[in-house]
Amino acid sequence: MQQIFPAHWDVPVQVVDALTIAAAIMIALAIHWVAMRIARRIAARTPESIDDVFVDAAARPARWILVALALASVRQLLHLDDGARALWGQAAGMIVPLLLGWLAINLIRAGGRAVELSADISVTDNLRARRRRTRSAILTRIAVFVVGFITICLMLLSIPSVRSVGVTLMASAGLIGLAVGAAAQPALKNIIAGIQMAFTEPIRIDDVVIIDGEWGRIEEIRLTYVVVAIWDERRLVVPVSKFLEESFQNWTRNSSQLHGTAFFWLDPTADIARLRARLEELVRANERWDGRGFVLQVTDTRPDAIEVRALVTARDAANAFDLRCDIREGMLAFIRDEMPEALPRGRMELGRPGWSEPVALPVPPAPGEQGSSGGAGAIPEDGRA
């Protein structure tokens, strides 16, 4: 770098060092700009947008990694004293692991995003897509945690004092591990449960579940907790271990298709065949019905009423719920307008044969009269007054 200037010029070494650093940074930024343009052009030629995600994720970390490499390459050209060289090495020991960890975490998250783009859960049969998204979400968070932990360890080990302390603590790592494990038992329990959930899959993204008496969909699966979106827009945050230790209902475990039911209490004399024909009309005219089947059955009897169940099928839980409401409303309107005799009625029997004749009651004598067997106030033997 000094040969750039004429020999008679007296240029301070600080200026030379500054120009050397600036030139190295400019060359690194130019290389990064050219490389990103080439990468984006290649990614734009593919119909999928997955490679674009990786290019965007690597753009910023790659820029600073190239700058760090450029500065490392010109280190020998700089006029640094021993203190400055030690500080330079210390900074490089912390910055390089940080940049590499940043790049690795961005690429891991880009991989998770790529899985989300390729696994479309908006289709009707989305079981495989939800399975891929669930595994990707859990494993991505685990990988990010591991890479972040390793990055921090490498950064700390670059400090000589911390490295010596770390070597000393290795002798008592067992006791420290036990103490930390006992203190962080709930968190470790949920982390291990999250890893187990990634492979056993008791729940998946967008599963319809009933837990703690609440109906909702699995919105997020974190490393230690799960977010359930309740139907009324509330959010239920549940520890991951709860899904492995306690019972819950999963309505979309094997398929998103469901059966929906609507119950009616009717009079025992109701014309079931007529109601069954009306149910068929309502079901076939409803767009939420998936065409698999429907049925109307008497499922219970009581002395004053019968229980009638309408069973219909739908492609998912949301459509099943709306279809049940439509069927319930339509059947009730039909019964009210055209079959009011099918509504439950109370019955009462007022009399039985032989009870129509009056029963004679004794007539007490009038005041002042003496009652006797032949007197004026006596009661005839036949019991009639």
Side-chain angles (χ1 to χ4, degrees), residues 197 203-205 209 217-229 235-241 243:
M197 184 178 293
I203 57 173
R204 305 182 185 94
I205 296 294
V209 298
R217 291 181 177 272
I218 302 298
E219 186 177 50
E220 296 181 47
I221 301 179
R222 297 287 183 175
L223 195 57
T224 57
Y225 65 90
V226 176
V227 179
V228 182
R235 297 297 185 270
L236 183 66
V237 180
V238 186
V240 170
S241 59
F243 288 95

Side-chain angles (χ1 to χ4, degrees), residues 85-353:
R85 290 183 181 274
L87 180 61
W88 185 289
Q90 185 67 52
M94 297 189 66
I95 293 175
V96 172
L98 177 63
L99 295 177
L100 293 178
W102 183 18
L103 177 62
I105 290 175
N106 276 17
L107 292 178
I108 291 171
R109 289 177 174 172
R113 177 59 180 163
V115 173
E116 292 181 3
L117 293 176
S118 61
D120 185 11
I121 61 175
S122 62
V123 297
T124 302
D125 188 9
N126 59 0
L127 179 61
R128 181 175 297 179
R130 290 189 291 109
R131 177 180 298 169
R132 292 181 60 190
R133 278 202 177 191
T134 302
R135 288 186 177 179
S136 172
I138 297 176
L139 295 178
T140 296
R141 291 185 175 92
I142 294 174
V144 169
F145 175 79
V146 172
V147 171
F149 180 77
I150 294 175
T151 300
I152 294 174
C153 291
L154 293 176
M155 292 174 62
L156 294 177
L157 289 177
S158 65
I159 304 175
S161 58
V162 175
R163 187 188 306 119
S164 61
V165 173
V167 173
T168 305
L169 292 178
M170 288 294 292
S172 57
L175 296 177
I176 294 175
L178 291 176
V180 173
Q185 183 178 2
L188 293 176
K189 177 181 178 182
N190 286 313
I191 291 174
I192 295 173
I195 298 173
Q196 182 179 353
M197 184 178 293
F199 298 97
T200 58
E201 295 183 345
I203 57 173
R204 305 182 185 94
I205 296 294
D206 206 44
D207 265 348
V208 177
V209 298
I210 295 181
I211 185 167
D212 291 340
E214 300 284 358
W215 184 97
R217 291 181 177 272
I218 302 298
E219 186 177 50
E220 296 181 47
I221 301 179
R222 297 287 183 175
L223 195 57
T224 57
Y225 65 90
V226 176
V227 179
V228 182
I230 309 301
W231 64 273
D232 56 0
E233 297 187 357
R234 290 178 294 145
R235 297 297 185 270
L236 183 66
V237 180
V238 186
V240 170
S241 59
K242 187 179 183 67
F243 288 95
L244 299 177
E245 297 175 353
E246 299 182 12
S247 300
F248 66 95
Q249 296 184 37
N250 190 335
W251 288 13
T252 54
R253 180 69 178 87
N254 297 319
S255 173
S256 60
Q257 298 175 339
L258 289 175
H259 291 73
T261 56
F263 291 90
F264 307 94
W265 286 100
L266 304 176
D267 191 81
T269 62
D271 188 352
I272 301 301
R274 189 177 175 189
L275 292 172
R276 190 173 287 122
R278 180 57 179 170
L279 175 66
E280 181 176 359
E281 295 176 3
L282 292 174
V283 170
R284 294 189 181 278
N286 198 305
E287 61 181 6
R288 296 185 175 93
W289 181 55
D290 63 357
R292 288 188 294 139
F294 63 90
V295 67
L296 184 80
Q297 296 173 315
V298 178
T299 54
D300 194 8
T301 59
R302 293 183 180 179
D304 57 344
I306 58 175
E307 182 188 68
V308 178
R309 183 188 70 179
L311 181 67
V312 293
T313 60
R315 61 178 176 268
D316 54 38
N319 283 280
F321 179 83
D322 293 335
L323 179 59
R324 291 168 59 195
C325 295
D326 294 343
I327 295 301
R328 193 179 293 114
E329 294 174 4
M331 293 295 291
L332 289 176
F334 175 75
I335 294 172
R336 179 197 63 208
D337 298 336
E338 302 187 28
M339 290 184 62
E341 69 277 5
L343 296 174
R345 291 173 292 176
R347 291 172 171 80
M348 180 183 299
E349 189 172 5
L350 299 178
R352 293 182 180 176

